[in-house]
Amino acid sequence: MTVKTLSGLLDKMWKDYVEINPLAQKISDLFIQDGERVENDHIALRTFNHPRLNIDVVARPFIESGYKYIGDYHFPEKKLYAKHFEHADKNVPKIFISELKIEELSTKTQVLINGLVDQVPKGKELEFDFVSSGRPWNVTSLQYRELLKESDYAAWVAAFGYRPNHFTVLINALKNFSDIVILNDYLKSKGFKLNSSGGEVKGSKEVYLEQSSILANNIEVTFQDAKLTVPACFYEFAKRYPMKDGTLYQGFVAASADKIFESTNSGQ
Ligand code: NI
C-alpha cells in the first residue's frame, strides 16, 4: 500500500521497526501494561552522503510534511554528520538523520558503497515512503564483512537500508520512571542488555539531556549469497531537562550520540 501522509509514514516506520526489533515492542508493551503512555522523542535514520541519498534526500518527506531543519552535529571519529528536524506539532517525533562521509573511507570501500547506490532504481529515492522501504540494493555477506572492517555504520546501512535505526521513549512522559538510572535498572531486571559504551547514562542534567539505549538485537539477514546473524535495531530512552528559559531542551548532544551509535556495533 502506498503511504502518502505523515501519520501513515510514521505508522509504517513503527511497524517495520518492531518487526525486526521485537524487543522494542516488548518494552513498549511492558510500559503500557504498567499504565504508562509511551511518547516517542525521536526517530533516527541512517544513510550515506552520496548526492542521491544524502540527509537532505532522506529528509524530503518530512520537510514536505512540515518539518524544519533545526541543528546539525559532527562526529569526526566515526566520519558521520547529522541533522535534526522538528515539526510544529509537538505530538510527532523529532527526526534525526545521520550520513556517513564516504570520501573519508578507503578507495575500496568508496567503490563498494557507490556500487550499492548505483543499484537504486532511478527516482526510487524520491518516493514518499522511501525512508521505510528497506534495502534498495543487493549486497553479499562478503561485502558486509568487508564494510564491517572499516565502519560498523556502513555495514548497518548496507544490510538494512532505509528504515528506522531506532525509536526513542521520552522519559519525561513516563509516570513511574522519571529517573533514567531507575529505568535502566528496571530494563536490566527484565533481561535487556544496555549499551554501556561511555557509561550506561550518556549526557547529564548540565547538558539538558540524558540518554540510554538497549543493545541492538541480532537478527538473521539474507544477503545475496548467504544468511548472517547481525545487529539490527535498538530502543533508546531520553530524558530532557529545562533550559534557563524554562523550556525543555529539544536538541541533541554530539558526545552522547557518538556513543549511542555504538548500540549497533558487532561483537557487543
Ligand atoms: Ni537517538
Side-chain angles (χ1 to χ4, degrees):
M1 207 177 73
T2 327
V3 170
K4 289 200 164 66
T5 62
L6 177 63
S7 64
L9 180 60
L10 295 173
D11 275 356
K12 183 170 185 269
M13 288 168 90
W14 173 259
K15 284 189 189 117
D16 180 45
Y17 166 72
V18 291
E19 203 178 293
I20 62 169
N21 183 24
L23 298 182
Q25 184 73 66
K26 218 169 140 187
I27 293 172
S28 179
D29 290 346
L30 278 174
F31 284 143
I32 291 164
Q33 277 166 27
D34 284 350
E36 297 283 10
R37 193 170 53 90
V38 178
E39 209 176 295
N40 186 23
D41 180 77
H42 66 269
I43 301 173
L45 295 159
R46 293 178 170 187
T47 191
F48 300 120
N49 72 342
H50 188 289
R52 278 189 67 194
L53 292 175
N54 64 24
I55 292 175
D56 294 328
V57 175
V58 173
R60 267 177 58 119
F62 302 104
I63 299 291
E64 275 176 25
S65 307
Y67 275 84
K68 300 241 179 314
Y69 162 70
I70 303 292
D72 69 345
Y73 310 89
H74 295 270
F75 308 93
E77 225 173 274
K78 292 188 171 65
K79 304 180 170 71
L80 299 173
Y81 172 67
K83 289 184 181 176
H84 106 256
F85 302 84
E86 288 178 31
H87 200 282
D89 176 358
K90 296 301 170 203
N91 293 312
V92 295
K94 290 177 276 293
I95 304 290
F96 181 92
I97 309 173
S98 54
E99 63 183 18
L100 180 64
K101 296 189 271 182
I102 46 184
E103 71 280 6
E104 293 185 15
L105 304 169
S106 67
T107 309
K108 196 180 165 197
T109 301
Q110 288 186 39
V111 170
L112 201 167
I113 291 173
N114 286 326
L116 298 181
V117 177
D118 288 345
Q119 292 178 50
V120 180
K122 215 173 172 184
K124 184 173 171 66
E125 71 276 20
L126 304 178
E127 290 170 5
F128 187 74
D129 60 355
F130 175 69
V131 292
S132 185
S133 64
R135 192 174 77 199
W137 45 64
N138 287 314
V139 58
T140 66
S141 64
L142 203 71
Q143 288 173 319
Y144 176 82
R145 287 186 207 272
E146 275 303 312
L147 290 172
L148 209 51
K149 286 184 202 161
E150 202 168 330
S151 162
D152 277 279
Y153 184 104
W156 192 92
V157 178
F160 294 100
Y162 295 86
R163 52 164 39 113
N165 171 265
H166 62 268
F167 275 70
T168 310
V169 174
L170 178 64
I171 295 175
N172 304 56
L174 300 174
K175 288 180 296 191
N176 302 318
F177 300 99
S178 60
D179 185 308
I180 194 167
V181 175
I182 292 173
L183 173 64
N184 287 346
D185 288 343
Y186 171 76
L187 292 169
K188 285 188 284 185
S189 77
K190 295 285 180 189
F192 297 101
K193 290 196 180 70
L194 295 179
N195 169 351
S196 58
S197 175
E200 285 176 357
V201 178
K202 283 87 173 141
S204 64
K205 195 178 171 180
E206 286 65 42
V207 294
Y208 310 115
L209 177 64
E210 287 175 334
Q211 290 164 282
S212 65
S213 65
I214 57 166
L215 289 175
N217 58 307
N218 289 325
I219 66 162
E220 190 178 72
V221 171
T222 305
F223 292 90
Q224 220 177 341
D225 55 335
K227 288 179 178 176
L228 284 184
T229 300
V230 305
C233 301
F234 61 91
Y235 214 7
E236 186 189 308
F237 310 89
K239 181 170 179 180
R240 297 189 175 277
Y241 286 90
M243 298 180 291
K244 289 200 177 76
D245 66 1
T247 62
L248 282 189
Y249 177 65
Q250 295 297 331
F252 294 84
V253 176
S256 303
D258 192 78
K259 300 296 178 200
I260 295 277
F261 279 120
E262 294 173 22
S263 306
T264 55
N265 280 11
S266 59
Q268 286 273 9

